[in-house]
Amino acid sequence: MTRGVFSRQLHEIQEEVLLLGSMVEKAIRRSMEALITRDLELSRKVVEDDQIVNAKRFEIEERCVQVMATQQPMAADLRVLIAILYIITDLERMADHAEGIGRISLMINADSIPQPLTNLERMVDKAVEMLHRSLDAFVRHDVAEAQAVCDVDDEVDALYDVIYVDAVSQMIQRQEMVPTLTHLLWVAHNLERIADRSTNICERVVYLVTGQMAEIPKNVSRY
Amino acid sequence: MLGSLRWRVTLTCVALVFVASVAAAIVVSAYDGGEAVLATIIVVVLGIGIAAFSGEALTHRTVKAVRQLTAAARAMTEGRLNQHVDADASDELGDLVYTFNQMAQRVDELVTQLSQEHSRLAAAYESSSNGLVAVDRHAAIAYMNPAAETLLNARASAAIGQPFLYTVRDHELHAQLMRCLSEQQRQTSYLEIGPEPRYLQVVMFPISGGGDWAALMVFTDLTETRRVDAIRRDFVSNVSHELRTPLASIKAAVETLAAGAIDQPETAQDFLQRISKEVDRLTGLVSELLELSRIESRAADLNRTPLDYAALLAEAVERMQPQAERRGVTLSLNVPSELPTIVGDAERLQRALTNLIHNAIKFTPAGGSVRVSAEAKDGVIATQVTDTGIGIAQEDLGRVFERFYKADRSRSGEGAGLGLAIAKHIVQAHGGEISVQSQVGLGSTFTFTLPCSIERAGRSA
């Protein structure tokens, strides 16, 4: 009987995690869209909505703690709840990075953004893909998918390198672009961090399934 | 009266009691003592025998009818609805049998009707090009049609039974779905999903009396509509931009003349020439637009005649020689002596060739070369226009054939960016294909194919 109650509560918490994931995914997408289309209104909204994400994260944490206190789960069940606690932390940090991108967008005065742009768009597509797939892996308890997602992180790091080189060379050629390009580098940095957090989520998924907490092997990354 | 079960049973009991009493009276009066007891026993036994026999005889039909009814009812619960009880009974039970038969028939009819309606609805759901997803009270998926599987990148077998949120992880859509379920009100929303991405409109209807189904979600794919809208917007904005620039120049020149420049002959001439040039430009633009819309809307209206393609190529090259010479570019032609006949619109093909050669010359610096060649193979004639010009960047290659697309914006003063779009439509209208290869700094090669005329197909390989 308690098993039934616990199971139901766990499912509800899991749904809440997915809702949080969706909010974060949208925040990331919107922050980049606002940056690219110079939509200051949208940027402001992204910054404001971060509060909602934070509130949701704490709400889920509360529920987890409550379930742990009242149901006192053991072994695998306990792992699931602990994994969830870490995952929502990562999600909330990702949203913070999205908010950061929103703030940067408001700081950039230029009317249009110079060239590292295509690669930034590729970066955000990859980062969002990673987030989406890591939550897929979480829902399905899919270790193979979790590991596959971590491989994509290499692509994101590679894009970051390209953007860096591109931005620096442009800064040398056109000094008046230095402020804007520096801001864009920060944006790229935020995206790289977002992608990295997805790999954290994947590690938690592996932990949830296997009971082992380990770093998933990736190619050596500079970041 | 004898037909009624009630009367039969009553009569039987009465008769029995009567006979028993009479027999007892006779016996008691005819014998005394021990023999009386014996005689009583014999009479009682006989009486029971008669009673049993008559009871069975009188109720046999009734019991049989009851058994048949029970069997039929059981068969119906097991799903065999087409039952009919053949009981020969004209009493109360007969009424029951008759009514039962009627009921069985009615139920059978109703179920057949419902089954048909179900089949029709199922056909409608399964075949709909809109995605249909039914959810239960707890927002778990109860049904998903094939179109929904495609639009949502999901599989019904995995999704059914799971919360809708697992399939479409959108918190705003989820919130609206919950509102639809709790407030029993229709909701409309929009969703961007998938890698492509796809834009979907979602309409959520609450359902009452649907058992498992508490709400139905209808997904309509708006991706194509949005894309076409965007193209149209771009086109209109491009056309107005292209028109505005020369018109502004003309206006400025006219104002200057009106303000007094007209009194100075040399200046006036200069301005008039400028105006004339801009008018030419506008005329060129308008005729290109007209040509493009004509090609696009009535591709079948080609004036097809058998053509001497080699001659056509030679003519195009000859026509463009003066322009090439003016720009210091070498224009050459390289074709085999005999090319298969093709059937096509000479004027339009000339235009396509002219556009390609014109572009090649335009983007090749002085000292460079443009080469036009053709060869027949695999049932088509492949024509190539190769230049040693500035080339086209990778990211532009896929878009050069778009209307108004200009890869090199610094040259936006010349032409409207329609030449390649027109060439592409002409080639495609003839059933051919056009493509480009290029390297920045080295040059570009435009290739298009035209199918050979059928009669010569054997010879053209």
Side-chain angles (χ1 to χ4, degrees):
Chain A
M1 274 167 296
T2 325
R3 182 75 222 167
V5 169
F6 174 75
S7 190
R8 185 176 50 81
Q9 286 175 334
L10 187 57
H11 263 105
E12 283 169 9
I13 292 176
Q14 208 162 290
E15 274 192 35
E16 295 294 308
V17 172
L18 291 179
L19 285 173
L20 179 62
S22 160
M23 290 161 98
V24 173
E25 206 174 307
K26 287 207 169 175
I28 298 170
R29 276 212 186 282
R30 283 177 182 158
S31 70
M32 281 306 290
E33 186 193 319
L35 175 75
I36 291 169
T37 60
R38 311 302 303 123
D39 187 344
L40 298 180
E41 207 34 61
L42 187 58
S43 296
R44 265 187 278 271
K45 186 160 192 312
V46 169
V47 171
E48 277 169 19
D49 285 351
D50 190 55
Q51 312 229 15
I52 304 178
V53 171
N54 292 347
K56 185 101 190 145
R57 173 268 175 112
F58 284 124
E59 183 193 308
I60 300 177
E61 189 177 309
E62 262 301 303
R63 291 183 72 159
C64 284
V65 167
Q66 219 186 26
V67 169
M68 285 196 275
T70 56
Q71 301 290 327
Q72 289 168 357
M74 297 292 172
D77 292 337
L78 184 59
R79 279 208 303 273
V80 172
L81 283 168
I82 291 180
I84 287 176
L85 283 175
Y86 278 104
I87 288 173
I88 59 180
T89 308
D90 278 316
L91 285 174
E92 193 265 322
R93 289 280 176 268
M94 285 192 211
D96 284 343
H97 286 298
E99 188 214 356
I101 294 175
R103 288 189 195 279
I104 293 172
S105 174
L106 291 170
M107 274 193 273
I108 295 180
N109 272 330
D111 280 354
S112 73
I113 311 276
Q115 246 319 89
L117 201 56
T118 333
N119 286 326
L120 276 178
E121 290 184 58
R122 287 194 194 116
M123 261 187 107
V124 70
D125 284 341
K126 286 263 166 249
V128 170
E129 178 199 325
M130 284 176 72
L131 167 55
H132 198 88
R133 284 173 65 184
S134 65
L135 287 178
D136 277 343
F138 165 67
V139 165
R140 297 198 305 256
H141 290 210
D142 188 340
V143 168
E145 177 72 347
Q147 286 168 333
V149 172
C150 290
D151 290 336
V152 182
D153 193 43
D154 297 336
E155 295 175 45
V156 174
D157 291 343
L159 281 169
Y160 191 21
D161 284 339
V162 169
I163 291 174
Y164 176 79
V165 165
D166 201 356
V168 167
S169 73
Q170 283 200 36
M171 280 194 240
I172 295 174
Q173 288 175 3
R174 300 154 73 187
Q175 287 195 341
E176 72 279 8
M177 295 298 301
V178 168
T180 308
L181 286 166
T182 310
H183 282 134
L184 287 182
L185 273 180
W186 293 351
V187 168
H189 174 77
N190 274 314
L191 289 175
E192 191 274 324
R193 293 274 87 226
I194 287 172
D196 206 59
R197 293 248 168 219
S198 287
T199 65
N200 286 0
I201 293 180
C202 290
E203 280 162 7
R204 283 294 155 193
V205 170
V206 173
Y207 163 74
L208 189 160
V209 173
T210 64
Q212 307 278 1
M213 188 55 213
E215 288 224 2
I216 297 185
K218 315 171 239 197
N219 286 335
V220 174
S221 157
R222 281 211 294 261
Y223 307 104
Chain B
M1 197 166 78
L2 261 186
S4 163
L5 181 64
R6 187 160 53 106
W7 279 109
R8 270 185 275 150
V9 169
T10 309
L11 240 57
T12 310
C13 292
V14 165
L16 277 174
V17 170
F18 179 70
V19 165
S21 313
V22 165
I26 293 174
V27 161
V28 163
S29 65
Y31 296 93
D32 8 71
E35 291 179 334
V37 175
L38 182 61
T40 315
I41 292 176
I42 293 175
V43 166
V44 166
V45 168
L46 266 177
I48 291 176
I50 296 171
F53 178 75
S54 55
E56 172 57 29
L58 284 171
T59 62
H60 173 76
R61 270 200 331 237
T62 306
V63 169
K64 181 169 162 208
V66 168
R67 285 221 181 92
Q68 281 179 312
L69 274 175
T70 312
R74 184 168 299 131
M76 281 184 81
T77 57
E78 285 166 5
R80 285 166 288 146
L81 298 170
N82 196 359
Q83 297 295 323
H84 181 88
V85 175
D86 274 328
D88 176 24
S90 50
D91 57 359
E92 294 96 323
L93 207 54
D95 279 344
L96 177 60
V97 167
Y98 178 73
T99 313
F100 178 88
N101 285 334
Q102 279 199 315
M103 179 194 80
Q105 191 185 10
R106 185 84 187 102
V107 167
D108 190 36
E109 273 167 21
L110 272 174
V111 170
T112 308
Q113 207 178 328
L114 281 174
S115 179
Q116 275 177 0
E117 275 179 27
H118 172 84
S119 297
R120 287 179 200 145
L121 274 176
Y125 285 150
E126 290 289 305
S127 64
S128 172
S129 55
N130 283 336
L132 293 169
V133 174
V135 296
D136 66 14
R137 285 177 299 132
H138 307 293
I141 297 182
Y143 169 77
M144 182 185 270
N145 77 340
E149 287 180 307
T150 312
L151 289 178
L152 303 177
N153 293 322
R155 276 205 319 279
S157 50
I160 289 180
Q162 300 283 50
F164 178 74
L165 186 60
Y166 284 28
T167 301
V168 178
R169 298 211 295 265
D170 186 310
H171 70 280
E172 281 159 354
L173 185 64
H174 186 259
Q176 273 193 292
L177 177 60
M178 299 316 270
R179 260 207 299 282
C180 171
L181 286 170
S182 61
E183 292 169 18
Q184 288 290 295
Q185 264 195 351
R186 172 172 159 163
Q187 302 277 339
T188 306
S189 182
Y190 296 89
L191 179 66
E192 189 180 320
I193 197 171
E196 293 84 58
R198 276 203 205 100
Y199 297 98
L200 306 177
Q201 181 200 50
V202 189
V203 185
M204 297 169 259
F205 299 90
I207 299 176
S208 55
D212 245 5
W213 292 22
L216 186 66
M217 304 173 81
V218 182
F219 296 86
T220 313
D221 193 349
L222 296 178
T223 315
E224 196 55 29
T225 312
R226 269 179 76 137
R227 196 180 66 90
V228 167
D229 247 4
I231 289 179
R232 191 170 45 80
R233 262 198 315 264
D234 281 345
F235 182 73
V236 170
S237 129
N238 274 321
V239 169
S240 36
H241 176 80
E242 292 293 332
L243 289 177
R244 207 175 301 140
T245 319
L247 285 174
S249 283
I250 294 172
K251 180 78 175 166
V254 164
E255 276 172 348
T256 314
L257 282 171
I262 198 163
D263 296 323
Q264 300 157 32
E266 268 188 33
T267 322
Q269 275 303 321
D270 188 35
F271 275 114
L272 285 174
Q273 271 195 18
R274 234 188 261 185
I275 292 175
S276 179
K277 208 177 80 168
E278 295 294 351
V279 169
D280 283 342
R281 211 167 124 199
L282 276 172
T283 316
L285 172 62
V286 169
S287 80
E288 274 196 1
L289 276 173
L290 279 174
E291 178 63 29
L292 188 63
S293 80
R294 235 183 295 143
I295 296 273
E296 282 180 344
S297 62
R298 295 175 308 173
D301 262 27
L302 292 179
N303 188 6
R304 290 175 179 264
T305 56
L307 300 173
D308 178 355
Y309 193 60
L312 197 123
L313 286 172
E315 196 187 319
V317 166
E318 203 187 294
R319 192 184 301 175
M320 299 302 287
Q321 277 295 1
Q323 185 184 1
E325 274 168 22
R326 256 181 291 141
R327 311 262 311 211
V329 170
T330 322
L331 174 59
S332 62
L333 176 64
N334 181 8
V335 285
S337 49
E338 225 202 58
L339 282 173
T341 312
I342 50 169
V343 175
D345 186 320
E347 188 200 320
R348 297 237 160 84
L349 285 174
Q350 273 286 356
R351 180 173 258 274
L353 278 164
T354 310
N355 286 355
L356 287 171
I357 299 174
H358 172 84
N359 266 11
I361 295 174
K362 185 164 98 177
F363 289 105
T364 302
S369 64
V370 173
R371 202 169 49 106
V372 178
S373 61
E375 67 168 338
K377 58 175 181 171
D378 302 331
V380 299
I381 296 182
T383 310
Q384 284 195 331
V385 177
T386 310
D387 66 61
T388 59
I390 61 175
I392 305 167
Q394 261 316 105
E395 57 257 27
D396 294 321
L397 270 184
R399 302 190 62 187
V400 282
F401 294 108
E402 280 179 23
R403 287 179 284 180
F404 296 115
Y405 191 81
K406 287 180 216 169
D408 188 355
R409 286 270 155 191
S410 64
R411 294 187 185 239
S412 59
E414 306 164 31
L418 289 172
L420 285 177
I422 292 176
K424 173 179 137 180
H425 275 282
I426 293 173
V427 164
Q428 285 181 341
H430 281 82
E433 283 165 13
I434 189 167
S435 60
V436 59
Q437 280 172 314
S438 180
Q439 267 201 308
V440 174
L442 290 179
S444 316
T445 300
F446 283 81
T447 312
F448 67 88
T449 58
L450 294 168
C452 298
S453 92
I454 305 169
E455 23 194 270
R456 294 297 187 111
R459 255 227 236 165
S460 63

